[in-house]
Every structure is written in C-alpha cells, then in structure tokens.
Amino acid sequence: MAPLVVLISGCSTGIGLALAARLGQDPDKKYLVYATMRNLAKKEGLEKAAGDALDKTLFVRQLDVTVDDQDKSIFEFIMGKHGRVDVLVNNAGFGFFGPLEAMSMEKAKSMFDTNYFGTVRLIRAALPIMKKQKSGRIVNISSILGHLAMPYMDVYNATKFAMEGLTESLLPQLKHFGISISTVQPGPVATKFAETMSTNSKAEDDNIIVSEDTVKEMTAFQALLSKPDLFTAQETGPVIDVIVECVQAEKPKLRYPTSENVRSWVAKRYREEGVTGLESLFE
Ligand SMILES: NC(=O)c1ccc[n+]([C@@H]2O[C@H](COP(=O)([O-])OP(=O)(O)OC[C@H]3O[C@@H](n4cnc5c(N)ncnc54)[C@H](OP(=O)(O)O)[C@@H]3O)[C@@H](O)[C@H]2O)c1
C-alpha cells in the first residue's frame, strides 16, 4: 500500500515533534510526514528526533497557521510532490493562565487565531483535496478543556470548546466523502506547554490592573492545582499512542481522551447536572 501523506502543524516541540518522529520512523514506512513549524530556526530538535527518517519519510517545512495563504502554499507543495494528502493533524496551540482582565485583547485574538482559526484555515485548505480524492482523516488536538473549563484559562478553554464544536459539526458533512474528523483530548502533558504558558501570561500591558482580591482568589486556586495525582502530567508517549490509534483506526471515533482520568472527568461532566468546570473536582 502507498504510504499515507501526513501534514502536522506545530512540530518544533512537544506533541507535534513526538508525533512527527513516531510516524516518520514507522518501521514499515507507512507514512510520508510533512512536519511543519512556524520558525525553522527551531528545527534542530525535530531533525535529531527524526534520525535516519529525515528527508526520506519525514520532511520539515515552514508553516505559521495564523498566516493566510501559507495554508494554501503548503498544500500546493505537497500536492505537487505526491498528488494527495491523507492525514491532517491540527496541533499548533498555546495557553494563557490568569484573570481575563489581565489578558490583552491582542493576546486573546492571537490565541483564537492560532488554536481555532489556525485549525479552520488548514481544514478549509484540505477539504477540496480530500473531497476530490474521496478520502482523508483530520485529527484536531483539543484538550479536556474542550469539555470542562479550567478557571483562569478562559480564552484557551473557549478555543478548545470551539474546536470541539467545529469537529462535531463537520463530522456528518464529511463522512459521505470518506473523510473522518476527530478530536484528541489530552489532560496535562509533560511538554513545554506550561512553561510557554507561564511566559505568555506575564502582564503585557501596563494599563492592565488586577485587584488584590482577584490575585488572592487566583493564588488559592493555583494551590489546589498542586493536589497530588489530579494534575500529574501525562508523558508524551502514551498521548502519541492515542493519536496514532486515531490515525490508524478503521472507523475513527469522534473523540479520543488520552487517559482514564480525562475519560472519567468528561463522563462526570455529562452524567451530573450542575458540573460546570474542573473546579468541581476540588469540592
Ligand atoms: N501540554 C499540555 O498539557 C496539553 C494539554 C492538552 C492539550 N494540549 C494541546 O496540544 C497541542 C500541542 O501542545 P504541546 O503540549 O505540544 O505544547 P508545546 O510544546 O508548547 O508545542 C506547541 C507547538 O505549537 C506551535 N505553535 C504555536 N503557535 C503557532 C503558529 N502560529 N503556527 C504554527 N505553530 C505554532 C509551537 O511553535 P513555537 O515553538 O514556534 O512556539 C509549538 O511547536 C496544543 O494544541 C495544545 O493546546 C496540550
């Protein structure tokens, strides 16, 4: 069987890098992976992880998911080389932790532009190709926070809720074209995500004033997050196992939680009326 042509966004670090390396190094060479990142100056880690697969079954390319037309260019490039795109993984994303009033509108818009509209851009560019070839698989890296809101991550939660809605809405429209669409829902994962989030969350606008009471409330909530077991980060490996399961499934499901914890928290949300968000876990 011809190898599946795969495009992944956000491969400079974390889940994107690990997924690209896993698929690119498949022992049966089942995949040709286009591992993209917005800044090619960061490609060294991925190139190292790719090892012998580099430029054979794993190709590193530039793609900023917030830039109009880069989406079309990357698909045109891949179509020119292979004449098809089989799998699209929307992985690029970042977070912000803090009171809503401490987040600039610029940051809020940029988060939607990356986490949500970045996904919309790539799916829009992929659909004409996948519909024509009457096959394709779209995997959106969402989060448990696409179902349960985490206090102080308001806009991030909203981007992932939006991603869940988009996925659910497209599923019935795409199945008649042989295209599947799913979300993968990790809880916390041991990547640079938290570190980047903490840098992103530093006050960026001198005009933003947060009251002492708000800081006190937030600090009390942060203390709860260190509760043992509840928010222990999952290693990247098992998360990649779940993404690969989704990529390989004969009949992919709509949603793929990456751990039992995530599965049970989300189930609790839908079982119990009144559960509004992750804070309910601390009651
Ligand atoms: N780690 C977690 O706890 C966790 C939990 C649930 C869901 N997720 C989701 O998993 C996905 C991957 O996150 P991760 O944990 O692997 O974090 P990560 O290590 O911080 O990786 C995020 C990736 O997204 C890229 N990115 C950001 N903005 C971009 C843009 N405009 N265009 C292209 N790429 C861009 C980053 O590139 P740069 O290096 O250039 O910034 C990086 O490659 C995200 O969608 C995240 O929301 C993560």
Side-chain angles (χ1 to χ4, degrees):
M1 214 177 92
L4 296 176
V5 180
V6 183
L7 170 61
I8 310 170
S9 67
C11 295
S12 64
T13 55
I15 294 171
L17 184 154
L19 177 65
R22 174 82 72 89
L23 296 180
Q25 289 170 334
D26 182 82
D28 299 323
K29 299 193 175 15
K30 282 190 290 201
Y31 307 98
L32 291 173
V33 181
Y34 282 83
T36 67
M37 59 184 74
R38 61 177 162 175
N39 180 2
L40 285 177
K42 292 188 178 178
K43 69 180 178 177
E44 202 185 333
L46 175 61
E47 287 188 341
K48 260 195 196 144
D52 288 350
L54 188 65
D55 294 331
K56 295 189 183 84
T57 51
L58 189 158
F59 309 94
V60 184
R61 290 286 179 278
Q62 198 270 337
L63 172 65
D64 184 329
V65 300
T66 65
V67 180
D68 285 332
D69 294 338
Q70 284 196 4
D71 49 354
K72 288 182 203 81
S73 313
I74 186 81
F75 280 103
E76 274 166 20
F77 179 83
I78 298 175
M79 287 303 282
K81 285 258 172 206
H82 307 285
R84 57 187 298 108
V85 177
D86 299 297
V87 182
L88 165 64
V89 182
N90 287 300
N91 166 73
F94 71 92
F96 179 96
F97 187 96
L100 185 62
E101 66 270 31
M103 187 181 200
S104 67
M105 276 313 293
E106 197 187 0
K107 181 74 80 191
K109 285 180 185 172
S110 128
M111 183 176 286
F112 254 94
D113 208 14
T114 305
N115 298 11
Y116 178 66
F117 288 114
T119 300
V120 172
R121 267 188 198 91
L122 291 186
I123 294 177
R124 283 186 75 246
L127 283 184
I129 296 167
M130 289 181 171
K131 282 185 171 177
K132 199 166 171 199
Q133 69 195 21
K134 293 237 178 308
S135 69
R137 184 153 302 194
I138 299 167
V139 183
N140 295 327
I141 308 303
S142 175
S143 170
I144 182 176
L145 304 186
H147 276 296
L148 280 162
M150 164 78 94
Y152 303 103
M153 289 186 71
D154 315 293
V155 176
Y156 179 79
N157 298 324
T159 65
K160 296 299 186 182
F161 270 65
M163 183 186 251
E164 291 289 336
L166 176 81
T167 307
E168 213 172 285
S169 165
L170 285 170
L171 183 138
Q173 302 172 56
L174 300 185
K175 70 177 179 197
H176 304 293
F177 292 92
I179 303 167
S180 73
I181 184 162
S182 309
T183 59
V184 173
Q185 304 170 314
V189 186
T191 65
K192 279 193 179 154
F193 182 84
E195 190 188 316
T196 308
M197 178 159 72
S198 145
T199 314
N200 276 331
S201 307
K202 300 241 154 49
E204 41 189 2
D205 181 341
D206 290 343
N207 297 320
I208 295 176
I209 297 163
V210 179
S211 73
E212 270 180 38
D213 284 350
T214 304
V215 173
K216 224 193 270 172
E217 282 285 324
M218 186 177 81
T219 310
F221 177 73
Q222 274 177 304
L224 293 174
L225 292 180
S226 56
K227 220 171 160 181
D229 296 337
L230 208 49
F231 283 96
T232 308
Q234 193 177 14
E235 288 304 318
T236 311
V239 175
I240 303 305
D241 291 344
V242 174
I243 302 174
V244 173
E245 183 192 333
C246 174
V247 168
Q248 293 182 339
E250 206 174 305
K251 287 188 182 160
K253 294 180 285 191
L254 171 58
R255 297 192 167 97
Y256 285 82
T258 66
S259 69
E260 266 319 305
N261 252 356
V262 174
R263 201 185 303 278
S264 66
W265 294 346
V266 172
K268 181 176 161 70
R269 156 149 235 153
Y270 290 107
R271 219 175 30 241
E272 291 177 23
E273 229 181 288
V275 173
T276 55
L278 274 180
E279 83 288 354
S280 62
L281 290 166
F282 303 111
E283 282 162 3

